[in-house]
Amino acid sequence: MNLVGEYAMALVSTVATRPFDLIGASFGAVLASHVASGARAAKACPRRLVLIDPPPSVPTELPIPKMLTSLRTAAMGVLLIHLRIEMGAN
């Protein structure tokens, strides 16, 4: 997050309050999104944010896997994994 703050401050010192566009691709899209937020917090004016092929977002709460909800389900899952391995399934 220090890097994000440094980038945001560099933008603020370079463009001041003039609107600017920010583009990021792949994991750079995540960085661009955070930098734009940091720049907004520092009173800069990101006009347009373009995110190209960003990675999928991760939910804040992950569901509990069904195998963990009951001993029977877990045992069946382990058995199925074992049988697929034994039968040579890919």
Side-chain angles (χ1 to χ4, degrees), residues 1-84:
M1 292 313 287
N2 289 339
L3 181 66
V4 169
E6 289 176 24
Y7 282 176
M9 293 314 296
L11 276 170
V12 169
S13 67
T14 302
V15 299
T17 58
R18 294 187 315 262
F20 63 91
D21 299 332
L22 195 56
I23 299 172
S26 190
F27 282 102
V30 175
L31 178 62
S33 176
H34 286 290
V35 169
S37 294
R40 271 190 211 96
K43 307 296 184 218
C45 299
R47 176 179 58 181
R48 188 174 298 130
L49 177 61
V50 179
L51 307 178
I52 301 169
D53 194 26
S57 63
V58 177
T60 54
E61 290 186 30
L62 297 174
I64 296 173
K66 291 191 188 273
M67 281 185 66
L68 298 180
T69 58
S70 79
L71 187 57
R72 181 173 187 261
T73 307
M76 287 176 60
V78 170
L79 179 62
L80 286 173
I81 291 169
H82 174 73
L83 289 175
R84 292 185 72 119

